[in-house]
């Protein structure tokens, strides 16, 4: 199992009330799997994604990525582990505004121990693969939303991660770009990786093999599209 | 891709922020270096001005000292020359000698014992330096059919308690005669000729130049021969006292001193013109000495004044620098810290994403501190350059300025210039450290959830 989330609970402590973001959430993700997490705003989708990505420690429960618990590691070891194992894609793209497409895609190489030449070669391949060759030396401000998200996707894939975590990656995209991005995610899963997609876009569901519905921080429905039924 | 590339791209992207930081560092460093340049130059210029002033004062004092020496020498020479030319200063005469006879006839009839001169020479007299006993008679020179003044002199009688002094007049040797100008001119005789006076032959030993006085019609012979010729054995008419210390009112003291040794004599002052000249020379010497003293005092005062003025200026500059430099440096540190904080806030999302994709705290800190290092180093170098230029520009307004060699000869400025860029680098790093640490340690999940 590539990703195992077991009985995760997370509460945001605040005044005057506490927010129970997720309660007893368990999801498994194997290689070549594309799982979508759906639900209304505030249902805890992003919390699940951040927790799964080693960015937000759960109050209880366990996260295992390739059999390792990232929260048992030191912050810097966890960061290095993330760099090697996980790729992130966000709705807001989160590209570094002063780096061009090539440098943005290369930025995870800072964290990984890849040789510079390999990283550059890989980045060029990704640029070609995502149809960004003509934008190689453009900064994010000069790109369309679709191009930005494809750049973010290429960046996420630079270090050849096993797991791709995507948080509303199509939220700001037009239908054509949405199709393109979701197609790339599916392609990644089919090539041996695993994708956990958080979205409320119904179109995205059609690309996933399984869909997890969250409501008030709990899993309300699990749907395996291969079995075409509700579990 | 490496951290430096990221830093350089970020600097290019946020030029204003970097430029402001650079300016802050440069201002702090330039104020420090400029102040040090000014203070170093102050010390150099003070030293230079004081040396010049000292040289000027020394030259002035040396000139005045030379003037005093010259005046003293001139006085001495003139007195000696005039005394030689004029023969004497005071004349000691028998009390009964009529002054009218001397002035009208040029001769003296009253006599006193020759032994008087020995008595005077053996006394403790202090107001007279040279004694010359003489007989002086106006006689008819039968052989030459004319009247002359015959002076018999035996040369100087040394004053015993004074020790030997260089004589002002040489003795006229026996058988020799010295002729005044008018006489030898009219008689057409030359040195070595023999002339007969009252039946006795004398060899002319010296011919005097014209003096414009009674000396021009006088002949000098040995005292003993004169006494014999004139029938005045063991008698003299007068004692000429030369080089008397008798200027001004001291003539009364001389009279008192001589009359106490030689009662029954009178003392008259002769040739007061010489004394007047001597007095004027003495006054000149005194004035020169006063001028020398004043020049020395004035020089010391001028030096003290110059030193005080320069010290005052240096103190004002040092006081100004002591307030301005720490204020500017502190302000710059605060400014750099604020800029770093602003920068770190601007980069919050970017840092969150970099954390998310795996950059370590150390790498993020390195990003911020590398930028701070670039800021410190470039700002430091720019500040040093600007500080030196501004400092020198301020200095050039004062007394001709200073050269770079002079400025750097003092190790202080060199030390400041060398240590300023590393110090700026350190301070910029220090000012950026806390904002960098805060942002690098932020929870990426919190940042990513803010949207």
């Amino acid at each position: 199992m590539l990703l195992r989330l077991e009985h995760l609970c997370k509460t945001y402590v605040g005044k005057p009330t506490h927010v129970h973001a997720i309660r007893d959430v368990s999801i498994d993700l194997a290689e070549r799997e594309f799982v979508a997490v759906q639900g209304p705003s505030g249902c805890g989708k992003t919390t699940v994604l951040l927790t799964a990505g080693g960015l937000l420690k759960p109050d209880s429960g366990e996260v295992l990525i390739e059999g390792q618990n990232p929260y048992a590691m030191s912050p810097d070891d966890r960061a290095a582990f993330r760099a090697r194992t996980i790729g992130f894609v966000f709705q807001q793209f989160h590209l570094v505004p002063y780096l061009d497409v090539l440098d943005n895609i290369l930025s995870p190489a800072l964290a990984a121990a890849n040789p510079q030449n390999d990283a550059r070669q890989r980045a060029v391949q990704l640029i070609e693969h995502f149809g960004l060759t003509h934008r190689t030396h453009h900064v994010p401000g000069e790109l369309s939303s679709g191009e930005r998200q494809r750049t973010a996707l290429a960046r996420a894939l630079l270090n050849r991660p096993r797991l791709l975590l995507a948080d509303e990656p199509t939220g700001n995209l037009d239908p054509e770009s949405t199709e393109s991005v979701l197609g790339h995610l599916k392609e990644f899963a089919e090539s041996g990786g695993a994708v956990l997609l958080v979205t409320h876009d119904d179109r995205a569901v059609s690309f996933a093999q399984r869909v997890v519905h969250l409501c008030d921080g709990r899993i309300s429905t699990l749907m395996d599209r291969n079995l075409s039924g509700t579990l | 891709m490496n951290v430096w590339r990221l830093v350089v791209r970020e600097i290019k992207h946020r030029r204003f922020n970097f430029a402001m930081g650079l300016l802050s560092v440069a201002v702090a460093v330039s104020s420090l270096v400029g102040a040090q340049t000014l203070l170093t130059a102050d010390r150099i210029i003070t030293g230079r001005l004081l040396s010049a002033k000292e040289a000027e004062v020394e030259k002035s004092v040396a000139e005045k000292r030379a003037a005093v020496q010259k005046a003293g020498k001139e006085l001495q020479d003139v007195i000696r020359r005039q005394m030689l030319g004029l023969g004497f200063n005071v004349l000691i005469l028998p009390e009964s000698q009529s002054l009218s006879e001397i002035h009208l006839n040029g001769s003296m009839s009253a006599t006193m014992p020759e032994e008087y001169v020995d008595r005077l020479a053996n006394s403790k007299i202090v107001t007279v330096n040279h004694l010359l006993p003489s007989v002086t008679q106006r006689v008819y020179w039968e052989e030459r059919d004319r009247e002359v003044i015959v002076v018999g002199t035996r040369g100087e009688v040394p004053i015993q308690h004074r020790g030997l002094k260089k004589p002002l007049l040489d003795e006229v040797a026996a058988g020799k005669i010295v002729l005044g100008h008018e006489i030898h001119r009219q008689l057409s005789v030359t040195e070595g000729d023999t002339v007969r006076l009252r039946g006795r032959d004398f060899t002319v030993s010296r011919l005097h130049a014209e003096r414009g006085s009674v000396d021009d019609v006088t002949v000098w012979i040995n005292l003993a021969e004169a006494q014999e010729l004139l029938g005045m054995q063991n008698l003299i008419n007068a004692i000429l006292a030369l080089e008397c210390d008798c200027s001004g009112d001291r003539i009364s003291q001389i009279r008192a001193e001589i009359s106490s040794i030689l009662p029954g004599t009178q003392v008259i002052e002769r040739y007061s013109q010489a004394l007047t000249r001597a007095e004027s020379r003495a006054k000149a010497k005194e004035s020169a000495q006063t001028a020398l003293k004043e020049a020395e005092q004035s020089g010391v005062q001028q030096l003290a004044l110059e030193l005080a003025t320069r010290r005052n200026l240096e103190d004002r500059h040092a006081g100004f620098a002591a307030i301005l430099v720490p204020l500017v440096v502190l302000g710059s540190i605060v400014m750099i810290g604020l800029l770093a904080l602003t920068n770190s806030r601007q980069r919050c999302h970017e840092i969150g994403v970099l954390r998310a994709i795996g950059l370590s705290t150390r790498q993020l800190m390195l990003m911020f501190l590398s930028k701070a290092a670039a800021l410190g180093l470039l700002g430091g170098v720019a500040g040093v350059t600007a500080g030196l230029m501004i400092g020198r520009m301020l200095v050039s307004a004062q007394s001709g300025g200073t050269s770079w060699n002079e400025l750097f000869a003092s190790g202080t400025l060199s030390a400041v210039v060398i240590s300023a860029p590393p110090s700026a680098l350190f301070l910029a790093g220090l000012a950026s450290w806390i904002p960098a640490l805060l942002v690098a340690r932020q929870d990426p999940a919190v940042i990513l959830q803010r949207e």
Side-chain angles (χ1 to χ4, degrees), chain A residues 2 31 66 84-87 160-164 188 192-195:
Chain A
L2 195 61
E31 289 176 359
E66 291 187 317
R84 286 195 308 271
T85 317
I86 308 169
R160 301 176 199 276
R162 300 289 307 283
L163 177 64
L164 200 58
F188 173 74
V195 176

Side-chain angles (χ1 to χ4, degrees), chain B residues 84-358:
Chain B
L84 277 170
L86 297 171
F88 52 87
N89 291 114
V90 296
L91 197 56
I92 303 165
L93 302 167
E95 198 171 27
S96 57
Q97 176 61 50
S98 160
L99 296 181
S100 301
E101 184 189 2
I102 295 171
H103 296 310
L104 295 174
N105 300 329
S107 64
M108 303 173 192
S109 55
T111 60
M112 56 189 174
E114 189 180 350
E115 170 269 329
Y116 269 29
V117 73
D118 297 320
R119 199 190 298 177
L120 207 54
N122 293 326
S123 71
K124 299 293 182 190
I125 191 163
V126 293
T127 52
V128 172
N129 287 320
H130 302 271
L131 298 172
L132 194 70
S134 66
V135 292
T136 305
Q137 292 293 318
R138 183 175 175 169
V139 298
Y140 178 67
W141 191 355
E142 288 179 7
E143 289 86 348
R144 296 293 182 172
D145 189 23
R146 61 169 298 151
E147 282 195 334
V148 292
I149 305 293
V150 175
V151 174
T153 174
R154 76 177 212 199
E156 290 182 30
V157 179
I159 296 172
Q160 297 301 317
H161 74 96
R162 296 281 187 84
L164 284 175
K165 284 198 169 195
K166 185 182 174 188
L168 286 174
L169 282 175
D170 295 327
E171 176 186 10
V172 180
K176 303 289 183 187
I177 189 166
V178 177
L179 302 177
H181 178 262
E182 180 67 18
I183 294 169
H184 70 72
R185 191 180 62 80
Q186 287 181 356
L187 299 182
S188 300
V189 292
T190 56
E191 282 182 16
D193 289 350
T194 301
V195 292
R196 179 171 285 262
L197 175 64
R198 292 204 165 187
R200 184 176 293 205
D201 288 335
F202 294 92
T203 304
V204 178
S205 61
R206 195 171 173 188
L207 303 172
H208 279 317
E210 187 173 4
R211 290 178 175 173
S213 68
V214 72
D215 288 355
D216 291 341
V217 290
T218 302
V219 299
W220 289 267
I221 58 173
N222 182 267
L223 178 63
E225 288 178 331
Q227 286 169 328
E228 204 174 311
L229 278 178
L230 300 171
M232 296 172 64
Q233 283 81 353
N234 298 323
L235 293 174
I236 55 174
N237 295 114
I239 300 170
L240 313 179
L242 305 180
E243 263 192 6
C244 300
D245 186 7
C246 53
S247 59
D249 292 339
R250 293 203 69 195
I251 188 67
S252 55
Q253 292 175 26
I254 296 168
R255 280 178 177 145
E257 192 176 25
I258 289 174
S259 66
S260 69
I261 299 164
L262 301 175
T265 58
Q266 61 175 324
V267 175
I268 62 165
E269 188 181 354
R270 294 294 296 272
Y271 301 107
S272 57
Q273 189 181 13
L275 290 175
T276 304
R277 285 178 186 172
E279 280 173 359
S280 73
R281 292 295 192 285
K283 277 183 183 170
K285 185 182 177 184
E286 196 177 316
S287 299
Q289 278 172 332
T290 306
L292 171 64
K293 201 174 173 184
E294 282 173 358
E296 284 171 342
Q297 283 175 346
S298 161
V300 170
Q301 282 172 352
Q302 280 178 29
L303 279 176
L305 187 67
E306 187 71 37
L307 186 64
T309 307
R310 290 297 308 174
R311 287 279 180 263
N312 185 267
L313 183 72
E314 282 182 27
D315 287 348
R316 272 194 290 127
H317 284 172
F320 184 61
I323 294 168
L324 181 74
V325 173
L327 273 179
V328 171
V329 170
L330 191 67
S332 296
I333 290 173
V334 170
M335 186 70 178
I336 294 163
L338 286 174
L339 288 167
L341 193 64
T342 309
N343 186 242
S344 63
R345 288 194 171 187
Q346 281 175 337
R347 301 175 69 183
C348 216
H349 274 91
E350 169 197 329
I351 299 302
V353 172
L354 290 173
R355 279 291 276 169
I357 63 175

Side-chain angles (χ1 to χ4, degrees), chain A residues 119-178:
Chain A
R120 192 173 179 84
Q121 203 176 350
R122 169 82 174 148
V124 172
Q125 282 173 358
L126 289 168
I127 286 171
E128 286 172 4
H129 182 73
F130 287 104
L132 294 165
T133 309
H134 65 296
R135 296 294 199 187
T136 303
H137 297 296
H138 286 237
V139 293
E142 297 165 347
L143 303 177
S144 69
S145 298
E147 287 168 336
R148 287 182 203 178
Q149 197 56 291
R150 277 182 278 150
T151 304
L153 195 53
R155 180 180 65 183
L157 298 176
L158 183 84
N159 289 336
R160 301 176 199 276
R162 300 289 307 283
L163 177 64
L164 200 58
L165 302 176
D167 186 4
E168 301 278 11
T170 57
N172 290 328
L173 302 182
D174 56 53
E176 193 182 335
S177 297
T178 299

Side-chain angles (χ1 to χ4, degrees), chain A residues 12 47 50 55-56 76 79-80 82-83 88 90 92 94 96-100 103 106-108 110-111 116 155, chain B residues 1-3 5-6 9-10 13 347 349-350 353 355-361 363 443-445 448-449 451:
Chain A
Y12 295 111
T47 302
L50 295 174
L55 291 167
L56 186 65
D76 281 346
R82 262 199 318 266
F88 287 94
F90 304 98
Q92 300 298 330
H94 289 315
V96 179
Y98 48 84
L99 296 181
D100 61 19
D103 282 338
L106 276 170
S107 59
L110 285 170
Q116 288 289 312
R155 180 180 65 183
Chain B
M1 187 67 174
N2 55 39
V3 170
R5 188 175 171 85
L6 210 63
R9 290 295 171 93
E10 199 273 329
H13 182 66
R347 301 175 69 183
H349 274 91
E350 169 197 329
V353 172
R355 279 291 276 169
I357 63 175
L359 264 70
S360 65
T361 309
Q363 284 175 307
D443 188 346
L448 295 171
Q449 279 179 315
E451 297 163 31

Side-chain angles (χ1 to χ4, degrees), chain B residues 3 46 58 65 78 169 241 249 252 303 313 387 392 400 420 422-423 430:
Chain B
V3 170
T46 298
E58 273 173 20
R65 191 172 288 127
V78 165
L169 282 175
D249 292 339
S252 55
L303 279 176
L313 183 72
R392 192 147 183 253
S423 303
L430 195 69

